[in-house]
Amino acid sequence: FSPDKGAHRAIAVAMELGLPLKMAGKNREPKERQYFAEYVEPHVGHGGIEYLGEVSHGHKVELLQDARATLFPIEWEEPFGLVMIESMACGTPVIATRWGAVPEVIDHGRTGIIVDDWRDTAAALPAADELDSQTMRQEVVDKFSPERMVADYIAAYEAALAA
């Protein structure tokens, strides 16, 4: 948990919409605990806001499969964002702010919704509801599967050898 990841922004969106929010993640480092105590913990237990702690991979998959959407209101240059891939693999749309790798991972309007400001997240939920879960899953296979990654590496090595 850190300000850059935006749990406090996700809480604000859930409260604005009157929807429950389940959060899972690491909260061990002193800075993480301080941020959590100041910005997250005061809301836990109110209006359906839950903190589940760190969860197993299987539990994370269940949470993502059962979610209406994954909120990703980051404000930092996220280098990849595996949680977006995991969410789409479960057929769950992501609503994310346009930072870092977000535009490379999400195909706006097809596999998720990209907003320029986290305050636009609530308004983006109806568009996310319209996205096709099978399209999201197929996009993950096409762009992020191990087979795709290996093929891209081989092509890059062959191009380097040819040069």
Side-chain angles (χ1 to χ4, degrees):
F1 278 80
S2 74
D4 295 343
K5 296 280 186 172
H8 63 290
R9 292 183 283 275
I11 289 168
V13 171
M15 291 171 62
E16 176 184 341
L17 293 171
L19 293 174
L21 176 69
K22 293 183 181 188
M23 298 175 289
K26 182 173 80 71
N27 184 23
R28 289 184 250 144
E29 305 297 322
K31 286 185 179 183
E32 293 168 339
R33 289 195 310 269
Q34 179 182 354
Y35 166 74
F36 185 87
E38 289 181 34
Y39 297 99
V40 177
E41 195 168 33
H43 304 286
V44 172
H46 304 287
I49 309 295
E50 294 181 61
Y51 172 61
L52 306 173
E54 292 184 61
V55 297
S56 68
H57 177 73
H59 190 193
K60 178 172 39 172
V61 168
E62 288 175 11
L63 289 167
L64 290 170
Q65 287 174 331
D66 293 340
R68 181 175 176 184
T70 297
L71 304 183
F72 201 71
I74 61 168
E75 285 191 359
W76 78 295
E77 296 301 326
E78 174 76 59
F80 185 64
L82 183 59
V83 73
M84 293 184 288
I85 306 296
E86 292 170 329
S87 181
M88 292 184 301
C90 290
T92 301
V94 179
I95 304 174
T97 47
R98 188 183 309 278
W99 283 81
V102 166
E104 296 171 44
V105 174
I106 295 176
D107 183 354
H108 177 73
R110 205 165 155 267
T111 62
I113 304 296
I114 300 172
V115 296
D116 290 317
D117 187 295
W118 71 268
R119 292 168 193 87
D120 298 329
T121 301
L125 191 57
D129 287 341
E130 298 299 317
L131 300 178
D132 180 61
S133 61
Q134 189 56 43
T135 298
M136 287 177 248
R137 287 186 202 99
Q138 190 60 50
E139 184 82 359
V140 169
V141 169
D142 293 346
K143 290 176 78 175
F144 304 107
S145 68
E147 294 80 11
R148 167 72 189 268
M149 182 182 70
V150 169
D152 287 353
Y153 279 138
I154 290 171
Y157 291 140
E158 287 174 346
L161 290 172

